[in-house]
Amino acid sequence: MSAGAPGGAAATAPAASAVRIVLERCRAAGAQIVAIDGPSGSGKSTLADALVRAWPGRTPELVRLDDVYPGWTGLERAGTEVLHELVERRARGSVGTWRTWDWAAGRVGSVQHSRPGHPLIIEGCGAFAATSSIEGVAIWVEASPRVRKRRALARDAGAFDPYWDLWERQWRRYVARTAPACRADVRVRVAGAGA
């Protein structure tokens, strides 16, 4: 894993270096919200977990979009809902909400509440859409198509296999429409076998 800020030098150490760069960027910007975006299997969840563990002071709340997508066709909808219901409400000083998705039942699950005043990390495909109107730090995580497909399919023990192509089409539409990588404050490249 290597990381770098646009126009800056890339770090060569693994995840710890990427986390250090992200934390430095957050401190410099005074950011209380971080969005971690990138394609499936690129390493977003791993980076988010490491960032939560390393965050100084109050532990950030972590919202994983995997818990929010309303089914296999819900990539864009999740970003829009999280932006309006969670991120923008918190920015106004109100309690934000987000709805979980019950993947086993194929329906909306519980409603979660998030109070303003502490850091928030939103991680998942489409995270930049979920923070598009708010000042924060945008982290783009990428890996080669071969590495990320292998990692994504292995992670979900076969549950993702029938939906890979459907998800990839949504992902490509999101990328074509929004060019999210261009918004990144920090870019992280995950290396691996077959990269």
Side-chain angles (χ1 to χ4, degrees), residues 2 4 8 36 49 54 62 75 91 134-135 137 150 168 176 186 189 194:
S2 62
I36 303 175
D49 290 341
L62 173 58
L75 189 152
I134 303 297
E135 288 292 324
V137 172
R150 177 178 45 81
E168 278 294 294
V186 178
R189 173 87 177 153

Side-chain angles (χ1 to χ4, degrees), residues 2-183:
S2 62
T12 55
S17 183
V19 168
R20 181 182 46 77
I21 290 169
V22 170
L23 288 174
E24 287 172 2
R25 183 65 187 226
C26 289
R27 273 193 295 275
Q32 289 294 297
I33 186 163
V34 176
I36 303 175
D37 204 336
S40 291
S42 60
K44 299 179 301 298
S45 296
T46 301
L47 179 60
D49 290 341
L51 189 56
V52 166
R53 286 190 302 271
W55 196 278
R58 188 171 183 184
T59 302
E61 179 178 359
L62 173 58
V63 175
R64 297 185 192 279
L65 292 182
D66 280 354
D67 296 332
V68 180
Y69 303 123
W72 290 107
T73 59
L75 189 152
E76 299 250 4
R77 183 172 152 201
T80 300
E81 288 179 2
V82 168
L83 174 64
H84 297 307
E85 302 299 321
L86 172 62
V87 175
E88 290 179 343
R89 284 184 181 179
R90 279 179 43 120
R92 293 190 302 265
S94 300
V95 173
T97 61
W98 55 279
R99 289 171 182 80
T100 64
W101 181 256
D102 183 335
W103 286 93
R107 60 179 170 78
V108 174
S110 62
V111 175
Q112 303 294 313
H113 296 86
S114 174
R115 299 197 178 282
H118 57 275
L120 175 65
I121 298 172
I122 298 177
E123 172 270 317
C125 298
F128 289 1
T131 59
S132 60
S133 65
I134 303 297
E135 288 292 324
V137 172
I139 315 303
W140 180 258
V141 184
E142 58 191 13
S144 74
R146 182 181 303 181
V147 166
R148 63 186 194 79
K149 183 173 183 178
R150 177 178 45 81
R151 290 178 58 175
L153 297 183
R155 173 189 63 208
D156 293 321
F160 194 174
D161 294 18
Y163 303 101
W164 176 262
D165 292 333
L166 172 65
W167 191 259
E168 278 294 294
R169 285 192 297 274
Q170 286 179 89
W171 171 252
R172 288 187 198 117
R173 282 193 303 270
Y174 166 71
V175 169
R177 187 177 60 76
T178 66
C182 296
R183 284 193 50 210

